[in-house]
Amino acid sequence: MKPPPFRYAAPASVDQVVSLLAAHGPEAKLLAGGQSLMPLLNLRLARPAVLVDLNRVRELDYIREEDGQVIIGAMTRQRTAERSPVVRRRLPLLADALPLVGHPPIRTRGTVGGSIAHADPSAELPAVLVALDGSVAVRGPGGTRTVPAAEFFVSYLTTVLGPEDLLVEVRLPAHRDAGTAFLEVARRHGDFALVGVAVLARVSENRCRGVRLAFTGVGPTPVRVPEAEEAAEGRELTAAVCAEVRTAVEARLQPDSDIHASAAYRREVAGVLAERALRLAVQRAREVE
């Protein structure tokens, strides 16, 4: 299969990218790692008039700590983030999730910003962003603005990014003092998850604090379940509390059925994964107390 014809641009700076997007608007498509876009092009499900290749924009490739956050440039490869000592030390939830993204060759090309901007509802990195209440920086003709994770994802493969917008960096609160876990069920290792969950929890005086659960594969966007978080908040993680968390998850989620799994299966798996991941996160939190 071959893609439809398009014009090709390879800018070397963010300013050049923004100018190209301003000139071509919805007729332009951004190429980062290409792990999602290239199959769409080859299947002719995407037909851009202009392909804007970001791979020469070196200023978008970085990982740094700043004001209690870890800031990751949009063109940072997933494999680079996976191997980063800063990520392993300061962002254990992201470190948990990255090895589950496809296979090493995919992570070698795929970018952190590209995965989040693509907004596949089964992808791991959007769920991490939502679980951590992170944000993204977006550059457009009017300058750079910050968009919280809760406002960024709109629906399937849809975000608030407009045709002239460029996601330039991902900002995640550092959480070395918390326990984390990312668990998922997939048909095969490296496949998109049928259901996945990102969990963060702290423990103080043997009670759960700051519990967050974000699910992937159960809706058009990553899904937080406040009822499940509240069921564990301020309480010792007993079997009874775990059962309440699981019940809250299954009651709250309304996934669709598809050729891969039924809605009932996804709800049940989500509840089981929530309990297992929360137990693991609490165990890890006790180790860092």
Side-chain angles (χ1 to χ4, degrees):
M1 293 179 285
K2 296 181 179 179
F6 54 78
R7 285 174 287 162
Y8 176 78
S13 70
V14 169
D15 287 342
Q16 291 175 3
V17 175
V18 172
S19 294
L20 284 164
L21 294 178
H24 298 287
E27 296 299 314
K29 198 73 174 177
L30 296 171
L31 172 66
Q35 302 304 286
S36 300
L37 178 58
M38 295 312 298
L40 292 174
L41 288 173
N42 289 337
L43 291 170
R44 303 204 170 201
L45 297 175
R47 295 173 174 266
V50 181
L51 192 66
V52 180
D53 189 343
L54 300 177
N55 284 276
R56 296 184 184 178
V57 186
R58 302 299 183 192
E59 63 189 281
L60 293 181
D61 183 0
Y62 55 86
I63 300 175
R64 67 173 186 265
E65 292 185 68
E66 185 178 299
D67 297 329
Q69 294 183 314
V70 177
I71 301 176
I72 304 174
M75 286 299 293
T76 303
R77 305 294 172 181
Q78 294 158 4
R79 188 69 167 154
T80 299
E82 182 181 358
R83 292 174 166 177
S84 166
V86 173
V87 169
R88 289 198 300 268
R89 186 176 67 252
R90 304 293 287 161
L91 294 176
L93 182 58
L94 181 59
D96 286 343
L98 281 165
L100 300 175
V101 180
H103 299 281
I106 290 174
R107 299 195 295 276
T108 298
R109 290 297 306 166
T111 64
V112 173
S115 177
I116 289 172
H118 186 58
D120 191 302
S122 295
E124 293 83 2
L125 301 192
V128 170
L129 182 69
V130 169
L132 295 179
D133 283 327
S135 62
V136 298
V138 178
R139 175 78 176 273
T144 301
R145 67 185 190 277
T146 299
V147 182
E151 301 174 11
F152 183 71
F153 300 102
V154 175
S155 186
Y156 292 101
L157 307 178
T158 306
T159 70
V160 298
L161 293 173
E164 299 180 1
D165 286 334
L166 171 67
L167 190 156
V168 292
E169 67 183 22
V170 178
R171 301 168 178 171
L172 298 171
H175 52 275
R176 180 63 186 90
D177 61 334
T180 65
F182 196 110
L183 299 180
E184 67 180 33
V185 169
R187 297 178 71 89
R188 298 170 300 182
H189 175 70
D191 284 0
F192 277 114
L194 297 176
V195 180
V197 61
V199 175
L200 179 143
R202 294 175 173 84
V203 174
S204 175
E205 298 179 348
N206 210 32
R207 296 178 182 274
C208 299
R209 307 291 182 187
V211 178
R212 298 175 188 170
L213 296 93
F215 293 84
T216 183
V218 295
T221 66
V223 180
R224 283 275 295 273
V225 181
E227 298 88 346
E229 297 170 355
E230 292 166 6
E233 186 67 29
R235 303 172 72 185
E236 184 178 351
L237 194 65
T238 62
V241 170
C242 285
E244 288 184 38
V245 169
R246 181 172 175 174
T247 298
V249 167
E250 294 180 8
R252 171 71 167 77
L253 297 181
Q254 298 295 324
D256 293 326
S257 297
D258 57 28
I259 61 172
H260 303 295
S262 68
Y265 175 81
R266 282 194 162 95
R267 275 195 300 272
E268 182 173 357
V269 170
V272 171
L273 288 182
E275 180 179 346
R276 290 178 181 175
L278 184 55
R279 286 184 181 276
L280 179 56
V282 167
Q283 176 186 329
R284 290 172 172 174
R286 288 176 176 145
E287 293 170 358
V288 299
E289 272 189 290

